[in-house]
Structures are given as C-alpha cells and as structure tokens.
Amino acid sequence: MLSIVIPTLNEFKTGYLSKTLDAYIGVEGIEIICVDGGSQDDTISIIKQSNAKLITTDIGSRAGRLNAGIKLAKFDMVLLHHPRSLVDVEGIKALTNHTPDIHWGAFTHQFDIQHPLLNFTSWYSNRMRGDCRGVYYLDHCLFAQKQLLLDVGLLPEIDIFEDTEICLKLNSKAKPVRLPYISRTSAVRFQTNGIYRQALKNQYMKWCYYFRGSDKNMNALYEKGIDLNTKYKK
C-alpha cells in the first residue's frame, strides 16, 4: 500500500501532472494526494478530473506542501513525487508490494531528453551522490516509511535543498535503497535556460548551500524566469 504526495504549483505548462495522474490510473493499493500552493492555471482542473485527493493551501514552499501531504497519508509507505517526474508504473507497483526492510530510498533518475551532459548528471546523481553518499534529489521521487518521516521531523520548511536535508536526516536512521525503475524527469530548466548555463547555475547553488546561504535568496535565483516550485512576488 502506498500514498503518493505531489506538491503542485502551476503545473499545466509542462504537461507532466496529466501524464502522471493518467499513468497511475488503475494501479491498485495507492492513494494520490495533490497539495496545491495556489495555482493560477488549469492545474486544479486537472487534479479534480482525476482520482487524486486535492488539498489547497497557501504554503509557499514545496517542502511545506509535501509535509502537509505526508501528515494526511493513510498508508505506511509514502512516495514524495516530484511534480515534473514520471515513475515507471512497474516501479509504483513494486513499491506497493515493498518488503518491511525497505525503510526509505529513491528511484533511478533519467532526464526526458538525451544529451551527454544530462546523461552524466543522471549517472552522477544515481551512482555517486546517491549510492555513495545517500543523497537523492526530489526528482528521483523519494519514498520512505511514514513513521520514519515523522520520527525525523519531516522535511525542513526551506525553499531549496529540502530534499538534501531530509536525506541526511533519513541516513542517520537507515540505509537507503535505490530501485532500478526509472523516474523520468523534465529537463525544462535546461531547455529554458540552456543546458550549460543551467548546469553552471546548479553548481553555484550547491556552493551557496554548502556555505549556508539564505534558502530564499538561493531559490529566488534558481526560480528566476521560470517559477516552477515557488512563486515570488516581483
């Protein structure tokens, strides 16, 4: 049994939310909870036309929306589903039948377009940062036992790198498992900003994080011109 929590905010433009909700129709043993942070496009309509549960909130951070969904989850395993990723249906089915020794983990990352730098990014994310250090980003679609998430205090309600922080917390309790099923993620940031320019921005963000920069300032720069996870006032 599996609870899937999707934090949404103006998701219509990428088309991933519709793909995700359509793909999981008919999968037994799951519930889908969409926690929306105030979408102004057709996101709400898409959710209402599906079998997902809709929670509307004014919570600005993606982490806060995920936490709201976790608290409402009725099953013991919770999938923190990136709004612009799509997990292989067989992976969803495998997770509904998970064994008790799976405490937390992630799916295998892959971008939805092919490029040598993006392929390397996915490899590094899966093998090096993920398997070696136990840190997976949300676009891997993280999963964890609900009680374990509650035990570590849920995600810190920061605007960026909340996925890194929750992985560090979970690592202190149990070893993660990376399942071989693909979490195929939109490369919209790379397509919009340019592949190499976005890659450089990502590295800059990491340095800012390591030197404990302001999460709001970091995310405002990360979201500039695209506004995918958080909408900042101009």
Side-chain angles (χ1 to χ4, degrees):
M1 297 296 188
L2 176 67
S3 295
I4 302 174
V5 179
I6 309 176
T8 62
L9 179 65
N10 297 327
E11 304 300 336
F12 179 77
K13 56 190 172 185
T14 67
Y16 260 79
L17 183 60
S18 294
K19 291 178 183 177
T20 297
L21 296 177
D22 288 345
Y24 302 159
I25 289 175
V27 178
E28 296 181 356
I30 67 171
E31 66 166 350
I32 302 176
I33 304 170
C34 293
V35 185
D36 189 79
S39 293
Q40 300 298 312
D41 59 5
D42 288 334
T43 297
I44 299 297
S45 297
I46 292 170
I47 297 170
K48 287 183 175 179
Q49 291 169 18
S50 73
N51 62 348
K53 182 177 182 179
L54 170 64
I55 305 298
T56 57
T57 178
D58 59 359
I59 298 173
S61 69
R62 183 175 66 181
R65 297 195 291 274
L66 285 168
N67 286 340
I70 293 168
K71 292 174 184 177
L72 293 171
K74 67 181 182 181
F75 295 128
D76 65 336
M77 181 63 75
V78 181
L79 171 58
L80 307 181
H81 200 297
H82 192 283
R84 291 171 301 281
S85 291
L86 179 61
V87 177
D88 288 345
V89 173
E90 291 305 312
I92 299 295
K93 292 178 179 178
L95 201 54
T96 63
N97 298 313
H98 67 278
T99 57
D101 60 334
I102 295 182
H103 300 287
W104 77 281
F107 290 101
T108 298
H109 183 273
Q110 184 180 102
F111 283 109
D112 61 358
I113 62 173
Q114 293 293 308
H115 185 278
L117 183 56
L118 297 185
N119 294 343
F120 171 79
T121 300
S122 292
W123 173 83
Y124 182 88
S125 184
N126 291 322
R127 299 288 185 178
M128 305 306 293
R129 190 185 66 247
D131 295 351
C132 294
R133 293 172 46 210
V135 174
Y136 299 95
Y137 291 159
L138 189 62
D139 54 9
H140 284 259
C141 291
L142 302 171
F143 49 84
Q145 294 175 356
K146 179 177 178 178
Q147 190 58 53
L148 182 59
L149 290 167
L150 295 173
D151 288 345
V152 300
L154 300 176
L155 287 83
E157 294 198 19
I158 53 179
D159 286 4
I160 194 170
F161 289 111
E162 76 281 12
D163 41 14
T164 298
E165 292 289 327
I166 191 62
C167 285
L168 294 176
K169 288 183 176 184
L170 294 170
N171 267 320
S172 69
K173 299 292 186 179
K175 185 177 180 179
V177 172
R178 177 168 62 86
L179 296 181
Y181 307 98
I182 298 298
S183 171
R184 189 165 286 100
T185 298
S186 172
V188 60
R189 291 186 188 276
F190 293 91
Q191 292 172 306
T192 301
N193 296 328
I195 288 177
Y196 294 102
R197 183 180 179 186
Q198 183 62 45
L200 288 172
K201 178 182 277 192
N202 290 349
Q203 296 308 309
Y204 177 72
M205 292 292 104
K206 292 176 184 179
W207 278 108
C208 290
Y209 167 73
Y210 290 133
F211 285 103
R212 312 312 294 176
S214 162
D215 63 291
K216 293 190 181 301
N217 290 342
M218 282 190 288
N219 201 48
L221 176 60
Y222 191 60
E223 294 289 314
K224 186 177 181 180
I226 196 164
D227 294 331
L228 288 173
N229 296 324
T230 309
K231 182 70 174 179
Y232 291 101
K233 294 180 179 180
K234 304 299 183 184

